[in-house]
Amino acid sequence: MKTREEIFNSLKQEFPRDVLEFQNVPVEPVITVNPLAINKICHFLRDVEGFEFDTLMCLSGIDDANGEKITEADGTVTIKGGVLSVYYHLYSIKLNHKVTLKVSASRENPEVESVESIWKCADWHEREAYDMFGFIFLHHPDLRRILMPYDWEAGYPLRKDYKNPEFYQGIKIPY
Amino acid sequence: MYNLLNNILGNEYLATIIAVALPLFIFILPYALYAVYGERKVSAFMQDRIGPNRAGYQGLLQSVADILKLIQKEDIIPNEADKKLFNLAPVLVFAGSYAAFAAIPFSGAYIGADIDLGLFYILAISSVVVAGILMGGWASNNKYSLLGAMRSAAQIISYEIPTALVVLTMVMVTGSLNLKTISELQTAYFWNWNILGGAFSGIEKFLLIPFMIVAFVIIYISTLAEVNRVPFDIPEAESELVSGFHTEYSGMKFAMFFLSEYANMFAVSAIVAALFFGGYQSPFGYLGNTIGISWFVPVEQLFWFTIKGLFFVFVQMWLRWTLPRLRVDQLMTVCWKYMIPYAFANLIIVGLITLI
Amino acid sequence: MAFKTEEMILNMGPQHPSTHGVLRLEVELDGELIISVKPHIGYLHRCFEKHCEAMTYPQVIPYTDRMDYLASMYNNFGYVVTMERFLNIQVPERVEYIRVIMGELQRIASHLVALGTYGVDIGAFTPFLYCFRDREKILSLFEMTCGARLLYNYMWIGGLSHDLHPDFIPACKEFLRYFKPNITELNNLLSFNKIFIERTANVGILPAETAINYGVTGPNLRGSGVKYDLRRNDQYSVYDRFDFEIPVGTGANGTLGDCWDRYYVRVREMEESIKIIEQALEQLPEGDINTAIPKRIKPPAGSIYGRVENPKGELGYFIMSDGSTSPYRLKVRGPSFVNMTVFSELCKGHLVADVIAILGSIDIVLGEIDR
């Protein structure tokens, strides 16, 4: 059973360029890694003895909204620049320890390596992150919308600067 | 009765209708209406609730309300459906079950058509129902209905075989295909019923008892499958196929399917009662005979016949609300790997016993 | 001459008697054999997560009820446990015990629905009515406590909304006394019925490694033999004071991890819940039901992932706060959402009738999948 600090140190040794920092935020510290190397790191975390993270508890997207806020002519606020993040919560049933990983990708081109090949439950979680935030998960077998209708054109709902469209297939949306 | 009417009216067809078709119709219609009501009440009491109790006293007018509603409903035919077959299917299904009633003896004095080939005719005419079901499923232009219809056809045809084998066994024991003769042979005391060995004397009777019981069980289960009742009701499996082959029917046509299902249930219960439980004979002798009123005896026989038929219908309803449903391949396994070998073995052993 | 055979695509559409909600299954059939099943969800998406970003922390609680509407108490429970860990609040003992009692009663109610509707899917109509009759009694217990039958809004951050009604404890004891023999009756009627076993044994076999990799939790994982229950493994509230077993599947009537195992684990779990409630009722202390919490709840800027054992699996709440009174991001990891991913894997090679049997044994609620 390892603490998060120990896991961070071992990861930093193994992947010096990809494991970025250890944020000691309340209540659970977070390890930040490179979005395009998350696959390698998760393989390591799942297969190496002493870590054995065999379940992915949760995968969630977050809109950090730390870009430049531009107010358009009609009063709406759009955000340019900044990052979108994905949080991974991993747990090991055998060794009973947890770790939280975080990757940040640019808002204009949010590409993250998919971990679906490691834990199959990431399949639908990544589809939901794509649906709600617009992440492109590389090497995902079937990346399409999951909760919104398949032909929803108006953007990604959970982003902070999302605005509902007027009409969808002839139905008026605001009421 | 047919002869009497023929002499009076001179016209054969009219005589047939009044002597055969009309009484049976008058029997089936109220029976089917109240069988639906009975099923709802029986299922309610088994499930710890009350059932219909608003329409009329204790809900007795519920069936009347249902029929009035179904008659005035719009007759919807799906656009892509094959109209001729769609309209023909309920007619065939009802005709098949209704025609089977002709050879069933209701009492000593009344049998619709006293033909020597009674049982053979019944088995043959009930197969018309298969054609009707297939037509209904195909003409609905609906994948679910088609699946249901195909399953139903496979099921009914497979289960005709154990039924026929058991019928053959009984023919060997009693020597006749005419249900009236079979009922007459099992005289008016219950120890002479076929399930208890038949009206023989000596060791033959006691040897036959276990095999008669096996035969009864086999035919009861096979006829359950013929009428598409649980545990064999996959053609109408509500949770998978949303009503199977009669999904697309509405109004009077749907009522026809329902009516024929209950008519079929009574027909097969009547056959089982006639073959094994004495048909219209009373178990204890006749009140009419002891008192001396000889015209009372056929009335008593009608009473006993209806009681026995309704009892077996009740057991069918009881099974429906207790058991889950078999999957289609398990159903076929039960038929081909268990029922048919047992029925065959039964047939051979009974044949040997009758030779003794 | 070669026959041209095509696979048939059957749509078990959003409206169907046994898909347990609005779920669309696209089934590719070859006769009666299944080649593939693709579930399509999103018909019940109500934008719960976006709503939460506009409300304050206590205002989120009624919305959590509506996700898994058959186990609302536990949704509340998960949220308040996570928030209390985030804010580092200690609640009074009485509150903990009442929460456990309500949670376990809710577990029994949720399993009764699962078992009853599973029976209907297989074709046995009567156990459904017996299960719902028993569930009515639980719902009247809940109504006595907080006034609502299905969506309670009962557990608040730092305490509860109402204390127990004075008649609650005798009524609860009466219910437990009444309910115990009903489990035996359910077993006789359904669990050990030969036809039911034929329909569910050796169908939808889920090996333990596949289950762990797909993130399956709850009775589905325990049915495959893995003894993993969050009430023991990742302890929360006062569950460590009670003596109860964790039932796992044993492959008694077929293979380990088939539908019957998952079904029977739920029946056994109801028995264990009865034990927990009895012990909790005995140990229930007196006291206050609310603790002092600030008028405006402002957690420190950071994040937390808290999880509890919902009747259907691991219910997780990922709450990220930026120091204000509304959550910055609230993500719910619904157990049914993750359990559903393994469904297409389980259905391969079975018949159409088995799809319904497998779907019923996974026990999903669409409110939780779509949020």
Side-chain angles (χ1 to χ4, degrees), chain B residues 46-48 143-144 151 239-240 321 324-327 329-330, chain C residues 9 11 16 18 32 121-122 126 129-130 133 198-199 354:
Chain B
M46 284 185 190
Q47 291 167 353
D48 203 9
K143 278 179 198 149
Y144 285 126
R151 285 171 167 178
S239 21
E240 298 158 38
W321 298 106
R325 174 186 309 136
L326 283 177
R327 206 172 55 200
D329 61 320
Q330 290 164 347
Chain C
I9 299 199
N11 212 359
H16 188 97
S18 44
E32 283 248 349
D121 292 343
I122 301 289
T126 314
L129 285 143
Y130 292 165
R133 173 195 62 191
E198 288 279 313
R199 283 296 297 272
D354 295 330

PDB file of all heavy atoms in Angstrom, chain B residues 46-48 143-144 151 239-240 321 324-327 329-330, chain C residues 9 11 16 18 32 121-122 126 129-130 133 198-199 354:
ATOM      1  N   MET B  46     -54.300 -14.850  -6.512  1.00  0.00           N
ATOM      2  CA  MET B  46     -53.002 -15.473  -6.299  1.00  0.00           C
ATOM      3  C   MET B  46     -51.930 -14.437  -6.059  1.00  0.00           C
ATOM      4  O   MET B  46     -50.885 -14.748  -5.495  1.00  0.00           O
ATOM      5  CB  MET B  46     -52.627 -16.302  -7.523  1.00  0.00           C
ATOM      6  CG  MET B  46     -53.369 -17.579  -7.571  1.00  0.00           C
ATOM      7  SD  MET B  46     -52.779 -18.529  -8.933  1.00  0.00           S
ATOM      8  CE  MET B  46     -53.996 -19.787  -8.928  1.00  0.00           C
ATOM      9  N   GLN B  47     -52.151 -13.207  -6.525  1.00  0.00           N
ATOM     10  CA  GLN B  47     -51.120 -12.186  -6.371  1.00  0.00           C
ATOM     11  C   GLN B  47     -51.440 -11.237  -5.242  1.00  0.00           C
ATOM     12  O   GLN B  47     -50.883 -10.142  -5.184  1.00  0.00           O
ATOM     13  CB  GLN B  47     -50.984 -11.397  -7.675  1.00  0.00           C
ATOM     14  CG  GLN B  47     -50.399 -12.230  -8.762  1.00  0.00           C
ATOM     15  CD  GLN B  47     -50.555 -11.568 -10.088  1.00  0.00           C
ATOM     16  OE1 GLN B  47     -51.205 -10.538 -10.223  1.00  0.00           O
ATOM     17  NE2 GLN B  47     -49.945 -12.152 -11.095  1.00  0.00           N
ATOM     18  N   ASP B  48     -52.354 -11.631  -4.367  1.00  0.00           N
ATOM     19  CA  ASP B  48     -52.604 -10.848  -3.171  1.00  0.00           C
ATOM     20  C   ASP B  48     -53.209  -9.502  -3.512  1.00  0.00           C
ATOM     21  O   ASP B  48     -52.907  -8.487  -2.905  1.00  0.00           O
ATOM     22  CB  ASP B  48     -51.287 -10.648  -2.395  1.00  0.00           C
ATOM     23  CG  ASP B  48     -51.525 -10.358  -0.929  1.00  0.00           C
ATOM     24  OD1 ASP B  48     -52.674 -10.481  -0.483  1.00  0.00           O
ATOM     25  OD2 ASP B  48     -50.555  -9.995  -0.251  1.00  0.00           O
ATOM     26  N   LYS B 143     -41.099  -7.137 -37.406  1.00  0.00           N
ATOM     27  CA  LYS B 143     -40.122  -8.188 -37.118  1.00  0.00           C
ATOM     28  C   LYS B 143     -40.475  -8.973 -35.867  1.00  0.00           C
ATOM     29  O   LYS B 143     -40.266 -10.178 -35.786  1.00  0.00           O
ATOM     30  CB  LYS B 143     -38.738  -7.570 -36.931  1.00  0.00           C
ATOM     31  CG  LYS B 143     -38.048  -7.308 -38.209  1.00  0.00           C
ATOM     32  CD  LYS B 143     -36.697  -6.686 -37.967  1.00  0.00           C
ATOM     33  CE  LYS B 143     -36.208  -6.041 -39.236  1.00  0.00           C
ATOM     34  NZ  LYS B 143     -35.375  -4.886 -39.009  1.00  0.00           N
ATOM     35  N   TYR B 144     -41.011  -8.246 -34.869  1.00  0.00           N
ATOM     36  CA  TYR B 144     -41.363  -8.941 -33.643  1.00  0.00           C
ATOM     37  C   TYR B 144     -42.455  -9.967 -33.907  1.00  0.00           C
ATOM     38  O   TYR B 144     -42.402 -11.093 -33.427  1.00  0.00           O
ATOM     39  CB  TYR B 144     -41.905  -7.944 -32.610  1.00  0.00           C
ATOM     40  CG  TYR B 144     -40.864  -7.081 -31.968  1.00  0.00           C
ATOM     41  CD1 TYR B 144     -40.998  -5.703 -31.975  1.00  0.00           C
ATOM     42  CD2 TYR B 144     -39.768  -7.627 -31.331  1.00  0.00           C
ATOM     43  CE1 TYR B 144     -40.077  -4.903 -31.373  1.00  0.00           C
ATOM     44  CE2 TYR B 144     -38.844  -6.825 -30.720  1.00  0.00           C
ATOM     45  CZ  TYR B 144     -38.991  -5.475 -30.743  1.00  0.00           C
ATOM     46  OH  TYR B 144     -38.081  -4.679 -30.145  1.00  0.00           O
ATOM     47  N   ARG B 151     -41.946 -18.854 -33.976  1.00  0.00           N
ATOM     48  CA  ARG B 151     -41.771 -19.667 -32.776  1.00  0.00           C
ATOM     49  C   ARG B 151     -43.026 -20.455 -32.497  1.00  0.00           C
ATOM     50  O   ARG B 151     -42.982 -21.618 -32.097  1.00  0.00           O
ATOM     51  CB  ARG B 151     -41.506 -18.758 -31.582  1.00  0.00           C
ATOM     52  CG  ARG B 151     -40.149 -18.180 -31.522  1.00  0.00           C
ATOM     53  CD  ARG B 151     -40.155 -17.173 -30.426  1.00  0.00           C
ATOM     54  NE  ARG B 151     -38.829 -16.747 -30.067  1.00  0.00           N
ATOM     55  CZ  ARG B 151     -38.573 -15.834 -29.161  1.00  0.00           C
ATOM     56  NH1 ARG B 151     -39.556 -15.269 -28.520  1.00  0.00           N
ATOM     57  NH2 ARG B 151     -37.359 -15.481 -28.869  1.00  0.00           N
ATOM     58  N   SER B 239     -42.619  -9.749 -22.375  1.00  0.00           N
ATOM     59  CA  SER B 239     -41.457  -8.936 -22.100  1.00  0.00           C
ATOM     60  C   SER B 239     -40.469  -8.936 -23.234  1.00  0.00           C
ATOM     61  O   SER B 239     -39.569  -8.136 -23.254  1.00  0.00           O
ATOM     62  CB  SER B 239     -40.776  -9.373 -20.825  1.00  0.00           C
ATOM     63  OG  SER B 239     -41.152 -10.673 -20.531  1.00  0.00           O
ATOM     64  N   GLU B 240     -40.552  -9.862 -24.181  1.00  0.00           N
ATOM     65  CA  GLU B 240     -39.577  -9.796 -25.254  1.00  0.00           C
ATOM     66  C   GLU B 240     -40.182  -9.272 -26.522  1.00  0.00           C
ATOM     67  O   GLU B 240     -39.623  -8.443 -27.197  1.00  0.00           O
ATOM     68  CB  GLU B 240     -39.023 -11.181 -25.547  1.00  0.00           C
ATOM     69  CG  GLU B 240     -38.314 -11.773 -24.379  1.00  0.00           C
ATOM     70  CD  GLU B 240     -38.249 -13.268 -24.503  1.00  0.00           C
ATOM     71  OE1 GLU B 240     -38.068 -13.711 -25.637  1.00  0.00           O
ATOM     72  OE2 GLU B 240     -38.424 -13.950 -23.501  1.00  0.00           O
ATOM     73  N   TRP B 321     -49.822 -18.340 -13.664  1.00  0.00           N
ATOM     74  CA  TRP B 321     -49.381 -17.296 -12.760  1.00  0.00           C
ATOM     75  C   TRP B 321     -48.336 -17.783 -11.783  1.00  0.00           C
ATOM     76  O   TRP B 321     -47.908 -17.044 -10.914  1.00  0.00           O
ATOM     77  CB  TRP B 321     -50.585 -16.697 -12.008  1.00  0.00           C
ATOM     78  CG  TRP B 321     -51.515 -16.088 -12.974  1.00  0.00           C
ATOM     79  CD1 TRP B 321     -52.710 -16.578 -13.360  1.00  0.00           C
ATOM     80  CD2 TRP B 321     -51.283 -14.918 -13.753  1.00  0.00           C
ATOM     81  NE1 TRP B 321     -53.246 -15.763 -14.330  1.00  0.00           N
ATOM     82  CE2 TRP B 321     -52.395 -14.750 -14.575  1.00  0.00           C
ATOM     83  CE3 TRP B 321     -50.240 -13.990 -13.821  1.00  0.00           C
ATOM     84  CZ2 TRP B 321     -52.497 -13.695 -15.463  1.00  0.00           C
ATOM     85  CZ3 TRP B 321     -50.350 -12.928 -14.706  1.00  0.00           C
ATOM     86  CH2 TRP B 321     -51.468 -12.799 -15.501  1.00  0.00           C
ATOM     87  N   PRO B 324     -42.350 -19.454 -14.440  1.00  0.00           N
ATOM     88  CA  PRO B 324     -41.754 -18.614 -15.482  1.00  0.00           C
ATOM     89  C   PRO B 324     -41.835 -19.289 -16.846  1.00  0.00           C
ATOM     90  O   PRO B 324     -42.336 -20.392 -16.975  1.00  0.00           O
ATOM     91  CB  PRO B 324     -40.310 -18.448 -15.050  1.00  0.00           C
ATOM     92  CG  PRO B 324     -40.129 -19.262 -13.859  1.00  0.00           C
ATOM     93  CD  PRO B 324     -41.368 -20.005 -13.557  1.00  0.00           C
ATOM     94  N   ARG B 325     -41.271 -18.639 -17.833  1.00  0.00           N
ATOM     95  CA  ARG B 325     -41.453 -19.055 -19.202  1.00  0.00           C
ATOM     96  C   ARG B 325     -40.210 -19.780 -19.684  1.00  0.00           C
ATOM     97  O   ARG B 325     -39.103 -19.442 -19.328  1.00  0.00           O
ATOM     98  CB  ARG B 325     -41.686 -17.764 -19.983  1.00  0.00           C
ATOM     99  CG  ARG B 325     -41.771 -17.870 -21.436  1.00  0.00           C
ATOM    100  CD  ARG B 325     -41.847 -16.489 -22.020  1.00  0.00           C
ATOM    101  NE  ARG B 325     -42.854 -15.698 -21.405  1.00  0.00           N
ATOM    102  CZ  ARG B 325     -42.695 -14.451 -21.054  1.00  0.00           C
ATOM    103  NH1 ARG B 325     -41.549 -13.870 -21.249  1.00  0.00           N
ATOM    104  NH2 ARG B 325     -43.668 -13.787 -20.507  1.00  0.00           N
ATOM    105  N   LEU B 326     -40.390 -20.795 -20.511  1.00  0.00           N
ATOM    106  CA  LEU B 326     -39.225 -21.505 -21.038  1.00  0.00           C
ATOM    107  C   LEU B 326     -38.691 -20.782 -22.261  1.00  0.00           C
ATOM    108  O   LEU B 326     -39.429 -20.179 -23.015  1.00  0.00           O
ATOM    109  CB  LEU B 326     -39.635 -22.913 -21.462  1.00  0.00           C
ATOM    110  CG  LEU B 326     -39.826 -23.935 -20.361  1.00  0.00           C
ATOM    111  CD1 LEU B 326     -40.295 -25.217 -20.962  1.00  0.00           C
ATOM    112  CD2 LEU B 326     -38.532 -24.172 -19.645  1.00  0.00           C
ATOM    113  N   ARG B 327     -37.412 -20.908 -22.482  1.00  0.00           N
ATOM    114  CA  ARG B 327     -36.789 -20.338 -23.682  1.00  0.00           C
ATOM    115  C   ARG B 327     -37.069 -21.264 -24.845  1.00  0.00           C
ATOM    116  O   ARG B 327     -37.331 -22.444 -24.646  1.00  0.00           O
ATOM    117  CB  ARG B 327     -35.290 -20.243 -23.440  1.00  0.00           C
ATOM    118  CG  ARG B 327     -34.595 -19.184 -24.226  1.00  0.00           C
ATOM    119  CD  ARG B 327     -33.182 -19.052 -23.783  1.00  0.00           C
ATOM    120  NE  ARG B 327     -32.509 -20.331 -23.873  1.00  0.00           N
ATOM    121  CZ  ARG B 327     -31.399 -20.603 -23.199  1.00  0.00           C
ATOM    122  NH1 ARG B 327     -30.898 -19.732 -22.378  1.00  0.00           N
ATOM    123  NH2 ARG B 327     -30.820 -21.755 -23.325  1.00  0.00           N
ATOM    124  N   ASP B 329     -35.370 -22.799 -27.196  1.00  0.00           N
ATOM    125  CA  ASP B 329     -34.622 -24.039 -27.418  1.00  0.00           C
ATOM    126  C   ASP B 329     -34.858 -25.031 -26.290  1.00  0.00           C
ATOM    127  O   ASP B 329     -34.854 -26.245 -26.506  1.00  0.00           O
ATOM    128  CB  ASP B 329     -33.129 -23.765 -27.595  1.00  0.00           C
ATOM    129  CG  ASP B 329     -32.529 -23.120 -26.380  1.00  0.00           C
ATOM    130  OD1 ASP B 329     -33.186 -22.250 -25.779  1.00  0.00           O
ATOM    131  OD2 ASP B 329     -31.408 -23.493 -26.027  1.00  0.00           O
ATOM    132  N   GLN B 330     -35.126 -24.519 -25.086  1.00  0.00           N
ATOM    133  CA  GLN B 330     -35.425 -25.435 -23.985  1.00  0.00           C
ATOM    134  C   GLN B 330     -36.772 -26.097 -24.203  1.00  0.00           C
ATOM    135  O   GLN B 330     -36.972 -27.261 -23.886  1.00  0.00           O
ATOM    136  CB  GLN B 330     -35.466 -24.670 -22.667  1.00  0.00           C
ATOM    137  CG  GLN B 330     -34.115 -24.202 -22.248  1.00  0.00           C
ATOM    138  CD  GLN B 330     -34.190 -23.143 -21.194  1.00  0.00           C
ATOM    139  OE1 GLN B 330     -35.264 -22.595 -20.946  1.00  0.00           O
ATOM    140  NE2 GLN B 330     -33.084 -22.848 -20.588  1.00  0.00           N
TER     141      GLN B 330
ATOM    142  N   ILE C   9     -31.447  -6.786 -38.223  1.00  0.00           N
ATOM    143  CA  ILE C   9     -31.187  -5.840 -37.137  1.00  0.00           C
ATOM    144  C   ILE C   9     -32.501  -5.564 -36.452  1.00  0.00           C
ATOM    145  O   ILE C   9     -33.441  -5.048 -37.046  1.00  0.00           O
ATOM    146  CB  ILE C   9     -30.570  -4.541 -37.665  1.00  0.00           C
ATOM    147  CG1 ILE C   9     -29.255  -4.873 -38.331  1.00  0.00           C
ATOM    148  CG2 ILE C   9     -30.368  -3.580 -36.522  1.00  0.00           C
ATOM    149  CD1 ILE C   9     -28.348  -3.721 -38.489  1.00  0.00           C
ATOM    150  N   ASN C  11     -34.537  -3.749 -33.401  1.00  0.00           N
ATOM    151  CA  ASN C  11     -34.405  -2.605 -32.532  1.00  0.00           C
ATOM    152  C   ASN C  11     -35.271  -2.799 -31.310  1.00  0.00           C
ATOM    153  O   ASN C  11     -36.485  -2.766 -31.416  1.00  0.00           O
ATOM    154  CB  ASN C  11     -34.899  -1.388 -33.302  1.00  0.00           C
ATOM    155  CG  ASN C  11     -34.162  -0.167 -32.912  1.00  0.00           C
ATOM    156  OD1 ASN C  11     -33.302  -0.198 -32.069  1.00  0.00           O
ATOM    157  ND2 ASN C  11     -34.519   0.913 -33.547  1.00  0.00           N
ATOM    158  N   HIS C  16     -40.084  -0.143 -24.488  1.00  0.00           N
ATOM    159  CA  HIS C  16     -40.160  -1.594 -24.537  1.00  0.00           C
ATOM    160  C   HIS C  16     -40.480  -2.067 -23.135  1.00  0.00           C
ATOM    161  O   HIS C  16     -39.971  -1.494 -22.184  1.00  0.00           O
ATOM    162  CB  HIS C  16     -38.808  -2.149 -25.009  1.00  0.00           C
ATOM    163  CG  HIS C  16     -38.820  -3.594 -25.273  1.00  0.00           C
ATOM    164  ND1 HIS C  16     -38.989  -4.113 -26.539  1.00  0.00           N
ATOM    165  CD2 HIS C  16     -38.696  -4.648 -24.459  1.00  0.00           C
ATOM    166  CE1 HIS C  16     -38.963  -5.412 -26.471  1.00  0.00           C
ATOM    167  NE2 HIS C  16     -38.771  -5.776 -25.224  1.00  0.00           N
ATOM    168  N   SER C  18     -39.453  -4.339 -21.256  1.00  0.00           N
ATOM    169  CA  SER C  18     -38.480  -4.823 -20.275  1.00  0.00           C
ATOM    170  C   SER C  18     -37.103  -4.236 -20.427  1.00  0.00           C
ATOM    171  O   SER C  18     -36.132  -4.853 -20.041  1.00  0.00           O
ATOM    172  CB  SER C  18     -38.371  -6.335 -20.312  1.00  0.00           C
ATOM    173  OG  SER C  18     -38.321  -6.761 -21.604  1.00  0.00           O
ATOM    174  N   GLU C  32     -31.983 -16.641 -34.455  1.00  0.00           N
ATOM    175  CA  GLU C  32     -32.196 -16.280 -33.064  1.00  0.00           C
ATOM    176  C   GLU C  32     -30.886 -16.010 -32.342  1.00  0.00           C
ATOM    177  O   GLU C  32     -30.887 -15.585 -31.197  1.00  0.00           O
ATOM    178  CB  GLU C  32     -32.940 -17.407 -32.325  1.00  0.00           C
ATOM    179  CG  GLU C  32     -34.404 -17.468 -32.620  1.00  0.00           C
ATOM    180  CD  GLU C  32     -35.259 -17.104 -31.411  1.00  0.00           C
ATOM    181  OE1 GLU C  32     -34.733 -17.015 -30.309  1.00  0.00           O
ATOM    182  OE2 GLU C  32     -36.464 -16.912 -31.605  1.00  0.00           O
ATOM    183  N   ASP C 121     -39.543 -10.291 -16.404  1.00  0.00           N
ATOM    184  CA  ASP C 121     -38.839 -10.481 -17.665  1.00  0.00           C
ATOM    185  C   ASP C 121     -38.739 -11.945 -18.036  1.00  0.00           C
ATOM    186  O   ASP C 121     -38.842 -12.315 -19.195  1.00  0.00           O
ATOM    187  CB  ASP C 121     -37.422  -9.926 -17.573  1.00  0.00           C
ATOM    188  CG  ASP C 121     -37.421  -8.425 -17.465  1.00  0.00           C
ATOM    189  OD1 ASP C 121     -38.455  -7.823 -17.777  1.00  0.00           O
ATOM    190  OD2 ASP C 121     -36.394  -7.877 -17.063  1.00  0.00           O
ATOM    191  N   ILE C 122     -38.523 -12.792 -17.024  1.00  0.00           N
ATOM    192  CA  ILE C 122     -38.398 -14.213 -17.313  1.00  0.00           C
ATOM    193  C   ILE C 122     -39.774 -14.823 -17.563  1.00  0.00           C
ATOM    194  O   ILE C 122     -39.901 -15.851 -18.200  1.00  0.00           O
ATOM    195  CB  ILE C 122     -37.679 -14.924 -16.150  1.00  0.00           C
ATOM    196  CG1 ILE C 122     -36.297 -14.321 -15.945  1.00  0.00           C
ATOM    197  CG2 ILE C 122     -37.555 -16.380 -16.387  1.00  0.00           C
ATOM    198  CD1 ILE C 122     -35.336 -14.658 -17.024  1.00  0.00           C
ATOM    199  N   THR C 126     -46.138 -13.495 -10.735  1.00  0.00           N
ATOM    200  CA  THR C 126     -46.575 -13.355  -9.345  1.00  0.00           C
ATOM    201  C   THR C 126     -45.510 -12.819  -8.400  1.00  0.00           C
ATOM    202  O   THR C 126     -45.836 -11.990  -7.559  1.00  0.00           O
ATOM    203  CB  THR C 126     -47.118 -14.703  -8.849  1.00  0.00           C
ATOM    204  OG1 THR C 126     -47.983 -15.213  -9.846  1.00  0.00           O
ATOM    205  CG2 THR C 126     -47.871 -14.546  -7.577  1.00  0.00           C
ATOM    206  N   LEU C 129     -45.564  -9.040  -7.880  1.00  0.00           N
ATOM    207  CA  LEU C 129     -46.537  -8.406  -6.999  1.00  0.00           C
ATOM    208  C   LEU C 129     -46.213  -8.623  -5.544  1.00  0.00           C
ATOM    209  O   LEU C 129     -46.448  -7.731  -4.721  1.00  0.00           O
ATOM    210  CB  LEU C 129     -47.928  -8.917  -7.349  1.00  0.00           C
ATOM    211  CG  LEU C 129     -48.333  -8.229  -8.625  1.00  0.00           C
ATOM    212  CD1 LEU C 129     -49.101  -9.132  -9.510  1.00  0.00           C
ATOM    213  CD2 LEU C 129     -49.149  -7.022  -8.324  1.00  0.00           C
ATOM    214  N   TYR C 130     -45.652  -9.774  -5.211  1.00  0.00           N
ATOM    215  CA  TYR C 130     -45.266  -9.988  -3.812  1.00  0.00           C
ATOM    216  C   TYR C 130     -44.158  -9.024  -3.425  1.00  0.00           C
ATOM    217  O   TYR C 130     -44.170  -8.430  -2.352  1.00  0.00           O
ATOM    218  CB  TYR C 130     -44.814 -11.426  -3.606  1.00  0.00           C
ATOM    219  CG  TYR C 130     -45.909 -12.451  -3.729  1.00  0.00           C
ATOM    220  CD1 TYR C 130     -45.596 -13.793  -3.883  1.00  0.00           C
ATOM    221  CD2 TYR C 130     -47.235 -12.102  -3.689  1.00  0.00           C
ATOM    222  CE1 TYR C 130     -46.574 -14.744  -3.985  1.00  0.00           C
ATOM    223  CE2 TYR C 130     -48.229 -13.046  -3.806  1.00  0.00           C
ATOM    224  CZ  TYR C 130     -47.891 -14.365  -3.952  1.00  0.00           C
ATOM    225  OH  TYR C 130     -48.857 -15.312  -4.074  1.00  0.00           O
ATOM    226  N   ARG C 133     -45.563  -5.550  -2.986  1.00  0.00           N
ATOM    227  CA  ARG C 133     -46.355  -5.427  -1.771  1.00  0.00           C
ATOM    228  C   ARG C 133     -45.422  -5.180  -0.586  1.00  0.00           C
ATOM    229  O   ARG C 133     -45.695  -4.336   0.274  1.00  0.00           O
ATOM    230  CB  ARG C 133     -47.151  -6.713  -1.590  1.00  0.00           C
ATOM    231  CG  ARG C 133     -47.897  -6.819  -0.300  1.00  0.00           C
ATOM    232  CD  ARG C 133     -48.331  -8.243  -0.051  1.00  0.00           C
ATOM    233  NE  ARG C 133     -47.162  -9.105   0.049  1.00  0.00           N
ATOM    234  CZ  ARG C 133     -47.216 -10.424   0.064  1.00  0.00           C
ATOM    235  NH1 ARG C 133     -48.363 -11.033  -0.044  1.00  0.00           N
ATOM    236  NH2 ARG C 133     -46.126 -11.143   0.146  1.00  0.00           N
ATOM    237  N   GLU C 198     -33.144 -22.890 -15.272  1.00  0.00           N
ATOM    238  CA  GLU C 198     -32.807 -23.200 -16.658  1.00  0.00           C
ATOM    239  C   GLU C 198     -32.601 -21.935 -17.476  1.00  0.00           C
ATOM    240  O   GLU C 198     -31.745 -21.877 -18.342  1.00  0.00           O
ATOM    241  CB  GLU C 198     -33.957 -23.992 -17.298  1.00  0.00           C
ATOM    242  CG  GLU C 198     -34.120 -25.399 -16.845  1.00  0.00           C
ATOM    243  CD  GLU C 198     -33.174 -26.324 -17.545  1.00  0.00           C
ATOM    244  OE1 GLU C 198     -33.065 -26.241 -18.776  1.00  0.00           O
ATOM    245  OE2 GLU C 198     -32.539 -27.118 -16.854  1.00  0.00           O
ATOM    246  N   ARG C 199     -33.427 -20.920 -17.192  1.00  0.00           N
ATOM    247  CA  ARG C 199     -33.326 -19.694 -17.991  1.00  0.00           C
ATOM    248  C   ARG C 199     -32.126 -18.854 -17.627  1.00  0.00           C
ATOM    249  O   ARG C 199     -31.616 -18.095 -18.430  1.00  0.00           O
ATOM    250  CB  ARG C 199     -34.568 -18.806 -17.769  1.00  0.00           C
ATOM    251  CG  ARG C 199     -35.814 -19.198 -18.453  1.00  0.00           C
ATOM    252  CD  ARG C 199     -35.691 -19.133 -19.923  1.00  0.00           C
ATOM    253  NE  ARG C 199     -35.432 -17.803 -20.441  1.00  0.00           N
ATOM    254  CZ  ARG C 199     -36.359 -16.919 -20.757  1.00  0.00           C
ATOM    255  NH1 ARG C 199     -37.612 -17.213 -20.606  1.00  0.00           N
ATOM    256  NH2 ARG C 199     -36.049 -15.746 -21.237  1.00  0.00           N
ATOM    257  N   ASP C 354     -32.200 -14.462 -24.168  1.00  0.00           N
ATOM    258  CA  ASP C 354     -31.181 -14.274 -23.142  1.00  0.00           C
ATOM    259  C   ASP C 354     -30.808 -12.817 -22.960  1.00  0.00           C
ATOM    260  O   ASP C 354     -30.334 -12.431 -21.899  1.00  0.00           O
ATOM    261  CB  ASP C 354     -29.924 -15.066 -23.499  1.00  0.00           C
ATOM    262  CG  ASP C 354     -30.187 -16.544 -23.478  1.00  0.00           C
ATOM    263  OD1 ASP C 354     -31.047 -16.953 -22.698  1.00  0.00           O
ATOM    264  OD2 ASP C 354     -29.524 -17.271 -24.229  1.00  0.00           O
TER     265      ASP C 354
END
